[in-house]
Amino acid sequence: MAHSYSSSAILTTTIKFCLLFSLLLGMVSAQLSPTFYATSCPNALSTINSAVNSAVSSEKRMGASLLRLHFHDCFVNASGTNWTVQLGRRDSTTASLSAANSNIPAPTLNLSGLLSAFSNKGFTAKELVALSGSHTIGQARCTVFRTRIYNETNIDSSFATSLKSNCPSTGGDNNLAPLDLTSPTSFDNAYFKNLISNKGLLHSDQQLFNGGSTDSQVNAYSSNSASFLTDFANAMVKMGNLSPLTGTSGQIRTNCRKAN
């Protein structure tokens, strides 16, 4: 994955400074708050916003990468639109490969598996569909969607053919394809329109519109972009509140890649 290192460096440095300063002041909280750094680091949000915008401008995949990071973090350790981010979440002191494998919904899941995975975290079917709409941006590797384009029948034939040119039956595992072929760098409701046309890239994507209980919600979002954006933002806030580590629980990592 390509990165804008200058923007990432600014973002990382700012976050480290603000979090450490906050810790030194003893500002521990029992819950998340959108104003968590208002006193300890009042310029935090504007600086982070500027750095993220710069990073996304330099590398369009960055927006999808950040969404994926948030999703994976919240599901394991439990832009296109805007919402008020709840701040003050601490880092975990442990990491678990087995927890990641068992908690993160796999792209091979059928609808029943997706509904169960999200229900286990307290999400409704409607919220599952809304959050899946994040696939309106980002890309996936050939190895993740190869089985679908060569073996499944609920896929538009011309769509499958176009993908096969970049994803051969053998080899090319890391070749990429956009999750939303229509507008891959725009956060919109095209993802749902694609599903109705049997142009979902992942098996799990098309399961949301395959004669099951979520078909009606996909139809609703495909015709009402505003409804999708509102529901997506609300679901993201809810996901951010999945059993967060706050106050003296967890830690503020000096290196995001590993526990202190």
Side-chain angles (χ1 to χ4, degrees):
M1 180 187 303
H3 294 277
S4 175
Y5 288 102
S6 58
S7 296
S8 298
I10 294 173
L11 179 60
T12 301
T13 301
T14 301
I15 293 176
K16 282 183 181 179
F17 174 79
C18 292
L19 293 181
L20 289 174
F21 184 48
S22 195
L23 182 64
L24 289 173
L25 289 178
M27 291 187 64
V28 293
S29 174
Q31 61 184 5
L32 303 183
S33 167
T35 58
F36 189 84
Y37 300 112
T39 300
S40 62
C41 199
N43 294 324
L45 293 183
S46 60
T47 303
I48 291 172
N49 182 64
S50 177
V52 170
N53 284 336
S54 177
V56 173
S57 295
S58 299
E59 171 51 68
K60 295 300 183 183
R61 290 182 64 197
M62 189 61 68
S65 298
L66 291 173
L67 279 178
R68 185 176 177 83
L69 175 65
H70 178 72
F71 176 78
H72 283 200
D73 176 58
C74 293
F75 253 58
V76 174
N77 288 316
S79 193
T81 186
N82 298 298
W83 62 90
T84 300
V85 177
Q86 299 294 309
L87 307 175
R89 191 183 187 97
R90 296 302 201 249
D91 297 315
S92 173
T93 57
T94 61
S96 172
L97 179 60
S98 62
N101 288 333
S102 62
N103 281 270
I104 301 299
T108 55
L109 287 181
N110 291 329
L111 180 60
S112 60
L114 290 170
L115 289 170
S116 295
F118 278 76
S119 177
N120 289 340
K121 295 294 183 179
F123 290 96
T124 65
K126 183 178 182 180
E127 289 168 331
L128 156 64
V129 177
L131 288 171
S132 296
S134 64
H135 284 184
T136 185
I137 54 176
Q139 302 182 68
R141 295 189 301 146
C142 168
T143 187
V144 177
F145 61 83
R146 177 184 285 121
T147 298
R148 169 159 167 73
I149 65 175
Y150 282 97
N151 299 299
E152 298 185 9
T153 57
N154 60 342
I155 185 170
D156 179 82
S157 58
S158 60
F159 176 61
T161 299
S162 67
L163 291 168
K164 290 176 182 178
S165 63
N166 191 45
C167 182
S169 56
T170 57
D173 286 359
N174 293 320
N175 291 350
L176 299 172
L179 289 159
D180 171 7
L181 188 65
T182 306
S183 51
T185 61
S186 297
F187 201 97
D188 51 31
N189 66 338
Y191 167 80
F192 301 106
K193 297 178 180 179
N194 292 337
L195 296 185
I196 293 174
S197 300
N198 282 337
K199 293 180 180 179
L201 182 65
L202 307 182
H203 173 81
S204 57
D205 286 330
Q206 197 59 56
Q207 285 293 297
L208 299 179
F209 192 84
N210 194 42
S213 60
T214 54
D215 282 16
S216 59
Q217 194 58 55
V218 170
N219 273 320
Y221 286 150
S222 72
S223 60
N224 191 329
S225 179
S227 175
F228 160 55
L229 294 176
T230 297
D231 290 348
F232 177 81
N234 290 334
M236 286 292 286
V237 172
K238 180 176 177 177
M239 186 163 62
N241 281 308
L242 283 180
S243 304
L245 298 175
T246 60
T248 56
S249 300
Q251 63 182 213
I252 299 174
R253 295 185 182 180
T254 55
N255 182 335
C256 293
R257 294 174 179 268
K258 61 181 181 180
N260 294 339

